[in-house]
Amino acid sequence: MDISEITLPDFIEVDADKRLGKIRSIFDRENPKGLIVTNDGEYVGIISEKQLVKSHVEDNTKATALVRSAPKIDRYEDVREVARMLVEGDVKIAPVYEGEKLAGVITEDAILEAVIENLDALIVEQIFTEDVITIGEKDRVGRAINLLREHGVSRLPVTDGDGRLAGVITTHDIVDFVIRDDRRQGRHDRRGDIDRMLDLPVYDLMTSPVLTATADESVREAVARMLENDVAGLVVTGDDDRLIAGVVTKTDVLRALTFTEEEQMDVQITNVSLLDTISREEITNSITSVVDKYQEMQVHHAHVRFHEHKEKLRGTPLIQCQIRLRTSHGQVAGSGEGYGAEHGFHVALDKLERNVLELKGINADEKYRGQLLRKLGEM
């Protein structure tokens, strides 16, 4: 299945010289997944809502200050390859070209809507993220913004005084608050004064009640809930619906679409542009060398994510690396930081191996994965 039938012809295009104040207003008015930025008609990149939260840039700054690269995709590209390109580019929207002509855009929602019927063979437990960053409802919004930036995520489950799920705060909540300014009121009738926003308690901005999923429900059901409510992720709860087990996002589902039945381990890298003195091949070989030490553990998929911090040492940025393996013994992960992608990767790899040693031999049920792969092969 290619993306020719699911490419969206209608998209929002802005000039590279447009001021960020106007761009924030577009997000408020149109609620797009992202904007296509051009300069004299030539494609430059995209701007996402998450970038607005991560930035301290003033409203009168030009759009070019926040532009990030996104892959140019051929209109007849395979849908699974496009899913991989969006995940590795860490974007939710990308331009689609037919020859040299910009034909439209492809979004993660368009892909998920097209494949949703094939997702009933996969359960949430097989794809969700277990290591979740949370924040307390009495913590300040400034801390929430710092956590979103530091960990490169778009949502934080909010806990009450007993550590139970009370709400969720997202990049969209924060952008919405900033854009609406004094037209919006918080839960305690506090006006949206930007100067005071950082000191507001998270409780004032969080969404509650929270949309959730359970580990044993089908991915199809979870995706349908996300699309119906126009959210990018769900908090996964345990037996008690207020205990947080993890988070499942649309990106997790796109990543699952790239799973293969090849004997060689499938390795996916997010933010490949941050690779410096280490290559994709070296990353794959390094993970393989660790996995090969444990013959009883089969790895179906590996995801490596790099995130750049502002801190630098002699011009080299501090890089956070997260490695997550999906194996026959469940999920296992490791994370670490270092100056440069290579250093950060090897710190994370050492942590990963230590975590592998702690696995207790819990066997995953393979029948669901096999069913999913057969269905995807028919697409």
Side-chain angles (χ1 to χ4, degrees):
M1 175 183 176
D2 64 40
I3 63 165
S4 59
E5 297 300 319
I6 60 174
T7 296
L8 306 177
D10 299 323
F11 55 92
I12 301 177
E13 180 179 339
V14 298
D15 190 85
D17 288 335
K18 200 173 195 68
R19 305 296 175 177
L20 290 182
K22 297 290 186 181
I23 288 176
R24 289 189 171 101
S25 296
I26 292 175
F27 274 103
D28 178 43
R29 185 174 64 252
E30 306 291 341
N31 193 27
K33 301 300 180 183
L35 305 179
I36 302 297
V37 182
T38 58
N39 187 12
D40 292 332
E42 293 292 323
Y43 171 66
V44 176
I46 67 165
I47 292 179
S48 69
E49 186 177 70
K50 186 161 66 173
Q51 288 169 269
L52 293 179
V53 172
K54 293 171 67 176
S55 169
H56 288 298
V57 181
E58 298 294 332
D59 280 356
N60 62 355
T61 306
K62 293 182 179 180
T64 48
L66 285 188
V67 169
R68 64 175 301 169
S69 61
K72 294 173 63 174
I73 298 176
D74 184 84
R75 185 171 184 176
Y76 301 98
E77 184 63 82
D78 179 75
V79 68
R80 293 173 69 179
E81 176 62 14
V82 175
R84 183 193 66 78
M85 295 168 74
L86 291 183
V87 171
E88 293 202 341
D90 195 22
V91 294
K92 301 181 183 299
I93 183 174
V96 176
Y97 280 79
E98 189 164 7
E100 297 298 317
K101 180 183 177 182
L102 180 59
V105 295
I106 187 69
T107 66
E108 64 176 8
D109 279 7
I111 293 175
L112 293 176
E113 288 171 355
V115 305
I116 191 169
E117 299 299 324
N118 301 90
L119 299 176
D120 58 354
L122 194 66
I123 60 174
V124 170
E125 184 178 28
Q126 295 173 289
I127 70 170
F128 82 112
T129 300
E130 296 176 275
D131 299 325
V132 181
I133 308 300
T134 63
I135 191 169
E137 61 184 2
K138 294 182 179 180
D139 286 335
R140 303 301 176 185
V141 171
R143 182 167 186 267
I145 293 175
N146 287 335
L147 287 174
L148 291 168
R149 287 177 182 150
E150 180 182 350
H151 296 280
V153 295
S154 58
R155 66 193 52 251
L156 298 170
V158 181
T159 58
D160 62 17
D162 296 323
R164 293 176 174 269
L165 180 63
V168 65
I169 186 167
T170 69
T171 56
H172 180 78
D173 295 326
I174 295 172
V175 169
D176 187 48
F177 187 91
V178 172
I179 290 174
R180 292 183 183 277
D181 196 25
D182 60 0
R183 290 176 292 154
R184 171 172 174 156
Q185 293 183 342
R187 289 172 179 265
H188 298 298
D189 293 333
R190 299 187 184 188
R191 295 291 177 174
D193 185 348
I194 297 176
D195 292 335
R196 295 176 54 219
M197 183 189 72
L198 299 181
D199 291 327
L200 288 175
V202 167
Y203 181 83
D204 272 28
L205 269 66
M206 73 180 190
T207 298
S208 182
V210 188
L211 289 171
T212 62
T214 58
D216 60 354
E217 74 174 301
S218 74
V219 171
R220 176 182 175 180
E221 292 174 313
V223 169
R225 196 172 304 125
M226 292 184 213
L227 294 173
E228 181 181 353
N229 292 278
D230 193 25
V231 296
L234 305 171
V235 177
V236 181
T237 57
D239 295 335
D240 183 333
D241 61 7
R242 293 189 65 196
L243 291 178
I244 302 170
V247 169
V248 62
T249 68
K250 291 176 180 176
T251 300
D252 291 325
V253 182
L254 290 187
R255 189 176 297 117
L257 296 180
T258 70
F259 290 176
T260 69
E261 290 183 288
E262 299 175 1
E263 292 185 3
Q264 182 179 4
M265 180 175 56
D266 176 29
V267 177
Q268 194 170 78
I269 302 173
T270 298
N271 289 331
V272 291
S273 61
L274 295 179
L275 297 187
D276 44 25
T277 57
I278 190 170
S279 66
R280 174 190 290 275
E281 182 179 7
E282 290 173 302
I283 288 174
T284 301
N285 291 340
S286 295
I287 295 176
T288 301
S289 67
V290 169
V291 171
D292 285 348
K293 297 177 183 178
Y294 311 96
Q295 295 298 322
E296 71 277 11
M297 184 180 74
Q298 296 180 336
V299 176
H300 309 310
H301 183 78
H303 177 223
V304 182
R305 184 184 187 282
F306 292 97
H307 174 68
E308 182 178 0
H309 293 293
K310 291 184 177 181
E311 182 181 340
K312 292 185 178 182
L313 177 65
R314 297 173 184 169
T316 302
L318 180 64
I319 300 291
Q320 180 191 58
C321 177
Q322 300 169 326
I323 307 172
R324 182 155 63 110
L325 305 184
R326 198 171 311 283
T327 82
S328 56
H329 285 57
Q331 295 185 42
V332 59
S335 63
E337 293 181 344
Y339 289 98
E342 182 175 13
H343 184 197
F345 170 73
H346 285 292
V347 173
L349 190 66
D350 288 343
K351 178 64 174 177
L352 175 73
E353 184 162 11
R354 289 196 295 272
N355 290 341
V356 168
L357 289 171
E358 295 177 1
L359 286 178
K360 301 301 182 182
I362 301 175
N363 293 311
D365 188 344
E366 288 296 298
K367 68 175 183 178
Y368 293 107
R369 180 174 178 270
Q371 291 171 5
L372 172 69
L373 293 173
R374 284 193 295 275
K375 285 201 171 189
L376 291 178
E378 297 169 0
M379 286 168 46

